[in-house]
Structure formats: C-alpha cells, structure tokens
C-alpha cells in the first residue's frame, strides 16, 4: 500500500472548535493520491448538510502517509442485542462490559459518566474518556477534549464487501461503518480491554460495547430518542505502564481494515453468551501488534 493520504474534516458553528465553536460534524478517510480531491469534496458537502446545523467553520486537512507503517486489521465481528428500553439496554451494556473483564464498579462508573456528560464542564467531549479497567479512575490528560482516535479507514475492497454484508442485516449505514472502523482500531491495541459508546446524534439511540475478544456488540437502545448526550470510554489497565504509548497509538498510528469479521443477525443475550462460552467468538483485531 503506497502513496496513501489521510483526509480529515471537522466542522463547527460559532467559530473553530478551539475558539469554543459548537461541533457539527467530523469525518476521515485514508485514500490513494488519485482519490484525495473527491474525498475532500465529499467531506465539505457532508459538513454542510449535517442535521446538527449549518457550520461556519470547516477544516479539511490532507496529509501524506508516505513512509509510515500502516497496520492492516480484520474488522471485529458484529453482534446486535435488543433491549426493551434504555434502562434494560444500559444494564445489558454493563453485563457485556463485565464479560470483557471490566470490574463491575468501573462499568457502573463508566455508564454514569456518559449519562451525566463526561466533559469537565458537564457536556459531551470531542474525544473519549480513558478509564482504569479495575478502579474506574479517569486517566485522560484533558477531561474536556479526551483522547481522539484517528488515522483509520477501510481498504476500498473491504468497504464494498462490508456494505453488501451489512445490508443483509439492514445495517448498511454510516453510523455502523464508522463505529466499527473506530472500534476495530481501538480493540487492536492490546492495552485496551474494552470500549463503551453511544452517539451524541439525537436520532441514533443504538450504542455498543466492543473488545478484541467479544467483537463489536451493538445494544439497542442505549439512550432516549432526542437526547444529544453521548460519549466514549476506553478501558485500560493503568498498571501496564503503557498509558502514553496507548494514547500515541490511538491518535497517530495509521490502520486500514483489509478483511472483514462475521456480521451476525440480531440474537438474544443468552445466545450471545452461549457463543462466547462455547468459544465461537474468535480473538479478533490483534494482527500487527
Ligand atoms: P459519535 O458516535 O460520532 O456520535 O460520537 C460519540 C462520542 O464519541 C462523541 O461525543 C465523542 O465524545 C466521542 N468520539 C467521537 N469521535 C471520536 C474519536 N475519533 N475518538 C474518540 N472519541 C470520539
């Protein structure tokens, strides 16, 4: 894979993010040189058509990845669990987090943190909370910005196949594709044990728990329709002594998804647990470490 470029977009209303503007939209791609212009144009359009409002600041950044090692990953297997309501969904999320090895108290603190608004100012963050998997202590240096995962995308051949496979389960949408890409990169970093996420998009109520061992486990619903409260928590074992290196990998290391994991039909929680206990859930996302 030669001559690849990172193309990133961020858009805000009321000025740039760094001057207090309200975040409207963000996206990123890794593409060959010949596709850079089309990717940038598509992102400008996406920023201007976002349901969160009209941005007055759009930043598009294009960087060559020449000379950088690009890790190739297999996307996490996709599962979908249905809950009767948000309370039940959040309960399921905590149980799945516990299956990944997150301490039950840390799982409870993570859910509460996202419910209350994880930023120091009590609102949404631009990035993710880093939380100790045993104690639930927060570890990120900046509690308003959090840690931003970047430099990840699907290889063109995998992207086409993914759309077809997701469409088979009624899941071929940008939310699922982007979250699966991010969750696959995060789970491929061995010091990260699990992730919890729900979107700040008011219309999208499905959230997920992800880990290298269990996969990308979608849980629906995890929040009430109309709520613009959302966030991400990455669970890390701070005793590993790899905090700084983990943040560098999350923010700077380029990854491309070149192969796809299973896309499963919706299933009851008991069947999901049975899959895990019978070893049918494979270890994914550790290639290249
Ligand atoms: P979204 O799924 O895009 O609605 O994002 C939900 C939340 O995840 C946001 O409010 C941020 O706190 C966080 N988030 C979004 N993008 C990233 C990213 N690239 N890296 C880390 N956290 C992110």
């Amino acid at each position: 894979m030669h001559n690849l470029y990172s193309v990133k977009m961020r858009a805000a209303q009321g000025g740039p993010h760094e001057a207090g503007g309200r975040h409207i939209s963000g996206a990123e791609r890794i593409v060959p040189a010949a596709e850079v212009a089309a990717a940038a144009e598509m992102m400008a359009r996406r920023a201007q058509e976002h349901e969160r409002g009209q941005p007055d600041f759009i930043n598009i950044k294009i960087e060559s990845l020449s000379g950088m090692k690009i890790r190739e990953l297999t996307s996490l297997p996709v599962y979908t669990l249905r809950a009767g309501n948000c309370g039940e969904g959040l309960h399921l999320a905590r149980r799945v987090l516990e299956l990944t090895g997150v301490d039950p108290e840390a799982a409870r603190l993570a859910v509460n943190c996202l419910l209350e608004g994880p930023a120091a100012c009590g609102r949404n963050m631009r990035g993710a909370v880093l939380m100790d998997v045993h104690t639930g202590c927060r570890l990120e240096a900046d509690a308003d910005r959090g840690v931003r995962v970047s430099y990840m995308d699907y290889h063109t051949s995998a992207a086409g196949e993914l759309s077809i496979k997701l469409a088979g389960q009624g899941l071929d949408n940008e939310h699922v594709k982007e979250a699966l890409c991010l969750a696959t990169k995060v789970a491929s970093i061995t010091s990260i044990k699990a992730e919890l996420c729900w979107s700040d998009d008011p219309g999208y109520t499905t959230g997920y728990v992800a880990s290298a061992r269990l996969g990308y486990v979608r849980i629906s619903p995890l929040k009430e329709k109309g709520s613009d409260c959302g966030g991400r928590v990455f669970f890390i074992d701070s005793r590993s002594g790899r905090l700084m290196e983990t943040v560098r990998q999350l923010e700077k290391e380029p990854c491309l998804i070149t192969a796809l994991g299973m896309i499963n039909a919706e299933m009851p929680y008991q069947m999901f647990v049975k899959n895990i206990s019978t070893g049918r859930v494979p270890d994914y996302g550790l290639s290249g470490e």
Side-chain angles (χ1 to χ4, degrees):
M1 274 176 282
H2 299 293
N3 213 9
L4 292 177
Y5 284 75
S6 156
V7 184
K8 294 195 232 179
M9 177 277 289
R10 61 188 172 98
Q13 195 178 58
H17 298 87
E18 52 276 24
R22 186 173 78 92
H23 179 66
I24 296 290
S25 168
E28 72 167 89
R29 302 284 320 278
I30 294 177
V31 294
E35 291 172 28
V36 167
E41 188 193 332
M42 200 264 296
M43 283 184 188
R45 200 171 321 122
R46 175 170 162 166
Q48 288 172 306
E49 290 171 358
H50 203 278
E51 64 170 303
R52 284 168 67 87
Q54 188 68 33
D56 48 33
F57 170 87
I58 303 175
N59 176 301
I60 294 182
K61 182 172 164 185
I62 301 168
E63 292 169 281
S64 166
L65 300 181
S66 151
M68 293 182 76
K69 181 174 181 288
I70 298 181
R71 286 200 302 133
E72 293 182 32
L73 302 176
T74 300
S75 63
L76 293 171
V78 177
Y79 292 88
T80 301
L81 308 177
R82 176 87 36 206
N85 53 47
C86 297
E88 212 178 291
L90 292 172
H91 180 70
L92 267 183
R94 282 170 59 180
R95 288 174 72 180
V96 178
L97 280 172
E98 289 169 27
L99 292 174
T100 70
V102 173
D103 181 89
E105 179 58 9
R108 188 187 69 80
L109 288 169
V111 166
N112 283 356
C113 170
L114 294 193
L115 285 175
E116 285 161 12
C121 56
R123 290 208 326 261
N124 293 337
M125 293 164 80
R126 288 211 51 236
V129 171
L130 274 185
M131 185 172 275
D132 184 89
V133 67
H134 300 296
T135 63
C137 282
R138 284 178 68 167
L139 306 166
E140 73 277 9
D142 180 337
D144 279 320
R145 177 183 178 274
V147 178
R148 293 277 306 169
V149 191
S150 192
Y151 299 102
M152 68 251 161
D153 199 357
Y154 297 95
H155 189 271
T156 317
S157 59
E161 190 190 337
L162 181 67
S163 282
I164 295 167
K165 282 182 149 185
L166 286 174
Q169 303 297 339
L171 297 177
D172 184 24
N173 62 67
E174 291 306 311
H175 275 294
V176 172
K177 286 192 274 199
E178 287 181 4
L180 177 62
C181 186
L182 186 149
T184 298
K185 174 173 178 183
V186 171
S188 77
I189 297 170
T190 44
S191 48
I192 298 199
K193 302 301 169 203
E195 176 186 354
L196 168 70
C197 167
W198 65 83
S199 175
D200 46 34
D201 184 334
Y204 193 66
T205 57
T206 303
Y208 68 87
V209 171
S211 82
R213 194 174 72 84
L214 299 189
Y216 166 70
V217 186
R218 304 174 65 250
I219 302 171
S220 188
L222 268 195
K223 71 168 199 181
E224 302 288 350
K225 208 168 180 96
S227 157
D228 64 0
C229 182
R232 279 187 157 87
V233 179
F234 302 151
F235 293 89
I236 178 170
D237 186 349
S238 57
R239 293 179 304 200
S240 68
R242 294 193 54 208
L243 186 59
M244 301 289 277
E245 172 58 8
T246 302
V247 172
R248 188 198 65 77
Q249 287 179 291
L250 288 166
E251 295 190 336
K252 303 280 183 223
E253 214 173 63
C255 295
L256 262 185
I257 294 179
T258 51
L260 302 178
M262 285 266 290
I263 317 281
N264 297 285
E266 189 177 310
M267 64 178 76
Y269 176 72
Q270 282 73 12
M271 188 188 291
F272 170 69
V273 173
K274 205 165 151 207
N275 275 7
I276 301 163
S277 56
T278 52
R280 286 178 54 208
V281 175
D283 263 335
Y284 264 89
L286 297 179
S287 60
E289 272 284 306

